[in-house]
């Protein structure tokens, strides 16, 4: 099991480095416990950050949906004024923004998943810390016996591995959140500067085929919207 | 044997399931060597499925060291190559 055993080795080496720092088993236990508490705080901070980012994306969707209503109204007014060209332009922008909304909503769902994963990690870690805290007190009380030292080693190793694992879960969630935050900031800027009518890549399909399909979908949406609005303003 | 799926938790696996896991692992190693992302994703999913479905999930309160550590379920081929090829990059004193 080449890959697996190597990964185990990586984690073990990190654990040993941690254990080597302190020699007194009681200090090691306290140090490990402190590390656990710090990590739990980190998990909670990350959770809060993910939730904030998700809410920010949801707010952007609300803002963009308001833009949709405005564009719909503009298209209707243009039709009433006999300017179908302007109506089509407004509906094109509307279709484009609709696609951006879909992209942002997909990202918000991604953050929702990250949030759930972090909640699981946090709950797992909380249970381990509680188990460790109880174990630590017993071992400290029995420290004079040589046997206790062996048990300290076992507990610390199991915990250090959990530390490394939960740490990895947080790191991965953090990376994903950072990416989404960067995209959210880009959309904020576009909303603020009013350049949303320009083609932006945010949430846009990546491959040429997907882009063509998206254009097709947008064009069909524009036609349908135009027909509907014409009916509404009595021009059908 | 105690097996950890990184970022997910620990399972205990015994008997025939271990032999199946070993075979699945070899297939995954081949995919990494051939830089075949699709095959890698397929074999990784299979490996994780064996552990989750055939193993017993360890209670979160148990403090045990793992005999094996599997990569996180969402790891990419590039990350896997980097993780294993980079060993022991981050372990220098």
């Amino acid at each position: 099991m080449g890959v697996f055993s190597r990964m185990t080795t990586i984690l073990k080496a990190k654990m040993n480095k941690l254990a080597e720092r302190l020699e007194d088993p009681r200090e090691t236990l306290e140090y490990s416990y402190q590390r656990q508490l710090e990590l739990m705080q980190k998990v909670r901070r990350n959770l809060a950050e993910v939730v904030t980012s998700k809410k920010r994306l949801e707010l952007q969707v609300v803002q963009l949906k308001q833009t949709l209503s405005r564009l719909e109204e503009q298209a209707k007014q243009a039709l009433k004024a006999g300017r179908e060209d302007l109506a089509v332009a407004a509906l094109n922008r509307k279709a484009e923004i609709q696609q951006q909304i879909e992209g942002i909503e997909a990202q918000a769902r991604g953050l929702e998943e990250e949030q759930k994963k972090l909640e699981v990690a946090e709950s797992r870690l909380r249970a381990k810390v509680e188990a460790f805290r109880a174990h630590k007190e017993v071992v400290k009380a029995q420290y004079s016996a040589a046997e206790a030292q062996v048990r300290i080693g076992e507990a610390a190793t199991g915990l250090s591995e959990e530390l490394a694992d939960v740490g990895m879960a947080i790191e991965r969630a953090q990376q994903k959140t950072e990416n989404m935050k960067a995209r959210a900031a880009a959309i904020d800027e576009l909303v603020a500067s009013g350049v949303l009518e320009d083609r932006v890549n945010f949430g846009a399909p990546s491959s040429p085929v997907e882009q063509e399909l998206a254009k097709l979908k947008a064009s069909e949406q524009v036609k349908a919207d135009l027909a509907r609005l014409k009916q509404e303003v009595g021009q059908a | 044997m105690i097996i950890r799926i990184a970022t997910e938790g620990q399972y205990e696996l015994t008997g025939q399931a271990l032999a199946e896991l070993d075979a699945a692992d070899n297939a995954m190693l081949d995919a990494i060597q051939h830089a075949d992302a699709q095959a890698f994703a397929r074999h990784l999913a299979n490996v994780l499925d064996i552990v989750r479905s055939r193993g017993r999930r360890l209670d979160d309160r148990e403090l045990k060291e793992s005999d094996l550590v599997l990569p996180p379920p969402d790891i990419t081929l590039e990350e896997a190559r980097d993780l294993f090829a980079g060993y022991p990059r981050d372990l220098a004193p």
Side-chain angles (χ1 to χ4, degrees), chain B residues 44-84:
Chain B
L44 174 63
N46 185 31
V47 160
L48 298 180
D49 184 55
I50 291 171
V51 176
R52 288 180 187 133
S53 62
R54 309 283 300 276
R56 178 183 70 88
R57 177 81 153 88
L58 256 59
D59 189 275
D60 286 338
R61 290 180 178 277
E62 287 191 53
L63 299 169
K64 284 189 178 170
E65 183 183 359
S66 305
D67 299 300
L68 295 176
V69 181
L70 305 187
D74 61 346
I75 196 169
T76 63
L77 175 67
E78 288 71 27
E79 282 178 314
R81 285 167 73 100
D82 185 53
L83 179 62
F84 301 122

Side-chain angles (χ1 to χ4, degrees), chain A residues 182-219:
Chain A
R183 291 179 180 185
I187 275 287
D188 265 357
E189 219 169 277
L190 287 167
V191 170
S193 61
V195 293
L196 268 173
E197 64 267 33
D198 292 337
R199 284 206 169 274
V200 290
N201 284 328
F202 181 81
S206 50
S207 79
V209 174
E210 280 175 329
Q211 282 174 11
E212 277 309 309
L213 285 174
K215 273 187 207 167
L216 202 65
K217 188 180 160 196
S219 143

Side-chain angles (χ1 to χ4, degrees), chain A residues 5-23:
Chain A
S5 55
R6 282 176 73 181
M7 189 147 171
T8 310
T9 312
I10 293 168
L11 283 180
K12 275 185 184 163
K14 284 184 178 173
M15 285 183 267
N16 289 339
K17 270 183 79 179
L18 182 72
E20 279 165 11
R21 284 188 202 167
L22 299 162
E23 285 182 359

Side-chain angles (χ1 to χ4, degrees), chain A residues 64-156:
Chain A
L64 286 174
K65 281 186 175 166
Q66 285 168 355
T67 310
L68 284 187
S69 312
R70 204 170 59 238
L71 286 168
E72 165 102 2
E73 190 51 39
Q74 284 173 356
K76 203 185 272 186
Q77 283 171 3
L79 273 183
K80 278 182 186 163
R83 290 290 305 273
E84 191 168 322
D85 57 329
L86 282 183
V88 168
L91 291 177
N92 271 325
R93 274 188 64 191
K94 193 185 152 203
E96 217 167 75
I97 289 172
Q98 185 61 52
Q99 287 181 358
Q100 286 166 1
I101 288 174
E102 282 163 20
I104 298 174
E105 282 175 339
Q107 298 212 358
R109 283 195 296 276
L111 280 183
E112 176 84 31
E113 274 173 37
E114 290 313 308
Q115 182 186 336
K116 281 180 189 159
K117 281 183 197 164
L118 277 180
E119 280 167 354
V120 169
E122 197 262 351
S123 137
R124 204 173 79 207
L125 187 60
R126 195 156 17 93
K128 295 264 181 186
V129 170
E130 181 48 39
F132 183 68
R133 194 191 58 76
H135 188 74
K136 167 175 78 76
E137 295 308 320
V138 172
V139 173
K140 273 169 77 179
Q142 299 175 337
Y143 176 57
S144 53
E147 179 199 34
Q149 293 200 35
V150 176
R151 290 168 59 188
I152 288 167
E154 284 171 2

